Amino acid sequence: MTTLFKSRALASTLALLATNSFASGFQINEHSAAGLGRAFAGEGAIADNASVLGRNPAAMMMFDKTAVSMAATMVDPDYSVDGAFITDLPGSRFDSSTAASHGNAGPNAVVPAAYLIHPINEQWAVGFAMMTNYGLGTRFDDSFGAGSNPAAGLLAGETSLMSVNLNPNVAYRINEQWSLGAGVNYTIATGYVDRVNPNANPNGSHNTLANFDGSGNGWGWNVGGLFEINQDNRLALTYRSQIDVELEGDYTGAVGAPGYKADATVDVPMPAIAEFSGYHRLNQQFALHYSVMWTDWSAFEKLEAVSEQCNLPGGVCLSKNEQLQDAMRYAVGATWYVNPQWEARVGVAYDESAVQSEHATISLPDADKWWYSAGATYHLDETKSIDFGMTYINGEASEVKEGVHNNDPGQPFYFEGNNEGNAFLASVQFNMLF
């Protein structure tokens, strides 16, 4: 196999990682159980436990004692695809249309998070957050697309991206109303793509068509402001910069030459996020809160996959323009302070898709989504509490027409149908003051 053929096979495989990653499902909001119970409405301004550090470093000035929070969120997605693989090649031995449906293609996952806030004095505080803002996972059976063109395996298979963000922060109180905060973000990520030939495993064996397994890291920053109108009303504005992560890893494949291996890199930009939040305690028992979030998906202009084996200028095997659009998220919620031991909360949110419908893929559900949330807090004593939260995410069904190469539906072989993604989330969190 020539070097150019190797490069094209490599580029096509790495493209799948990126084109399937950059969608609204790539962004993770599950930073806390308390936040989940209110659909993360008002999250940068409420400051009811240390997990506020995941949204706003300035809110550390709301604490006069050292605070710790640890959370775990279980994500149970229900992603289904229904359609057909179409072959428009005259004389092909494959059917012109092969039905292909798949349910429950999103594997379960647990998203952990931990936070520490330490006030130094009345004007300064420091803190540390360990969480994630981005991740994804889809897994199709090896037999999905069987009976159609063998290239069907290039559209499904398994795709995952996992990341962890280590985030030290510092905050300063300017006066009774204004506080500012800032932090540094170090993100570690791993990416995995596995594609199989659905027509080459009659005995259930796993026949790899292409595989990429890599890891990388990147740096960014975040800032936040908190305006305390009074003790019952406050507003917050926060910003997280884009973090560029370069995944370095190994490509293996059975396209043309079984066992072919190459080193490769893929740049994965994690877009910037800005959020405005508000919290208003109406009386002793009830409070309202809200958030508006913007994610800069349009800053991702192109994808490039690079390998030393590529003989094209600059070693760029693939340079592909993307068609992403900025996305907004709107959330509103309410809290009921039942008594000194219990708090109850609800929330609803609308989450816009980042991918235009004509560029959707089957490997990741991408559509506008509604969040319906509820949760509670139980105070064990004055220093310890437990949060519970749950959310049902209802994704709108969307049409998909995806070609095998570079997501071009104009190719002679493509998938056409519908996908739909819903999910149930449940979270628990422990908080403590020292």
Side-chain angles (χ1 to χ4, degrees):
M1 183 167 61
T2 66
T3 301
L4 181 58
F5 185 84
K6 293 178 183 178
S7 301
R8 288 174 177 170
L10 171 64
S12 298
T13 302
L14 298 183
L16 290 166
L17 173 64
T19 55
N20 293 334
S21 298
F22 296 107
S24 59
F26 181 36
Q27 189 170 2
I28 293 177
N29 283 292
E30 292 73 52
H31 296 156
S32 72
L36 186 69
R38 52 183 171 246
F40 297 97
E43 199 65 9
I46 295 180
D48 49 359
N49 56 65
S51 67
V52 69
L53 188 54
R55 293 302 238 265
N56 186 7
M60 290 192 293
M61 299 314 304
M62 294 290 297
F63 295 81
D64 56 9
K65 295 181 180 180
T66 299
V68 172
S69 294
M70 295 176 289
T73 302
M74 184 275 294
V75 182
D76 181 12
D78 181 14
Y79 172 46
S80 61
V81 173
D82 184 22
F85 286 98
I86 313 296
T87 301
D88 288 337
L89 292 174
S92 170
R93 65 184 181 89
F94 297 100
D95 295 337
S96 60
S97 177
T98 303
S101 298
H102 198 297
N104 197 26
N108 294 350
V110 175
V111 181
Y115 309 90
L116 169 67
I117 294 175
H118 177 65
I120 299 174
N121 51 42
E122 293 184 353
Q123 283 191 297
W124 292 94
V126 294
F128 184 82
M130 183 177 67
M131 59 181 190
T132 182
N133 288 311
Y134 297 100
L136 69 91
T138 55
R139 182 183 300 131
F140 288 77
D141 294 338
D142 288 356
S143 59
F144 180 69
S148 62
N149 190 303
L154 290 174
L155 297 183
E158 181 177 354
T159 304
S160 70
L161 180 69
M162 295 184 292
S163 68
V164 60
N165 186 36
L166 307 178
N167 179 208
N169 295 268
V170 61
Y172 175 72
R173 178 177 288 280
I174 300 174
N175 53 41
E176 291 184 357
Q177 291 185 305
W178 287 98
S179 298
L180 298 176
V184 176
N185 295 267
Y186 176 62
T187 296
I188 305 169
T190 62
Y192 180 78
V193 172
D194 189 57
R195 299 295 183 258
V196 299
N197 184 347
N199 295 310
N201 56 352
N203 60 354
S205 61
H206 186 85
N207 285 269
T208 296
L209 197 62
N211 179 282
F212 174 77
D213 190 357
S215 61
N217 57 74
W219 292 88
W221 51 273
N222 62 290
V223 295
L226 182 69
F227 178 58
E228 300 175 62
I229 302 171
N230 52 46
Q231 64 178 2
D232 294 326
N233 299 273
R234 46 190 175 267
L235 303 172
L237 183 63
T238 61
Y239 180 83
R240 285 188 177 273
S241 73
Q242 178 174 311
I243 299 177
D244 295 318
V245 176
E246 182 183 72
L247 298 179
E248 299 180 353
D250 299 322
Y251 166 84
T252 59
V255 180
Y260 165 63
K261 297 180 182 293
D263 298 327
T265 61
V266 178
D267 289 331
V268 181
M270 298 184 175
I273 303 170
E275 184 175 23
F276 173 76
S277 304
Y279 170 83
H280 307 282
R281 188 156 182 170
L282 306 179
N283 52 45
Q284 193 68 21
Q285 285 193 303
F286 294 100
L288 294 177
H289 27 87
Y290 48 86
S291 291
V292 178
M293 177 186 288
W294 165 84
T295 305
D296 187 24
W297 291 109
S298 63
F300 180 67
E301 298 178 352
K302 63 180 179 179
L303 162 74
E304 287 188 344
V306 180
S307 173
E308 293 181 355
Q309 283 81 16
C310 183
N311 63 358
L312 298 178
V316 178
C317 303
L318 172 73
S319 182
K320 179 180 179 294
N321 292 327
E322 296 294 338
Q323 302 293 328
L324 300 184
Q325 56 190 0
D326 292 350
M328 302 294 295
R329 185 180 192 273
Y330 308 92
V332 61
T335 298
W336 176 26
Y337 299 94
V338 182
N339 54 46
Q341 284 74 44
W342 284 98
E343 300 168 17
R345 56 185 63 92
V346 295
V348 61
Y350 181 69
D351 198 354
E352 291 182 347
S353 169
V355 172
Q356 301 177 49
S357 59
E358 62 268 28
H359 299 285
T361 71
I362 67 173
S363 291
L364 187 70
D366 185 72
D368 297 339
K369 297 176 287 294
W370 283 96
W371 292 50
Y372 305 100
S373 304
T377 296
Y378 177 68
H379 294 270
L380 300 170
D381 56 37
E382 292 183 354
T383 62
K384 295 183 288 294
S385 64
I386 300 177
D387 297 317
F388 307 93
M390 63 182 66
T391 290
Y392 177 71
I393 301 178
N394 182 24
E396 299 177 3
S398 60
E399 297 181 356
V400 180
K401 188 174 181 181
E402 178 185 9
V404 172
H405 301 293
N406 293 330
N407 193 28
D408 180 6
Q411 296 288 331
F413 177 75
Y414 57 91
F415 175 87
E416 186 172 22
N418 299 278
N419 65 4
E420 183 176 3
N422 305 312
F424 174 75
L425 286 68
S427 183
V428 62
Q429 178 175 322
F430 177 73
N431 311 295
M432 189 169 183
L433 298 173
F434 297 91

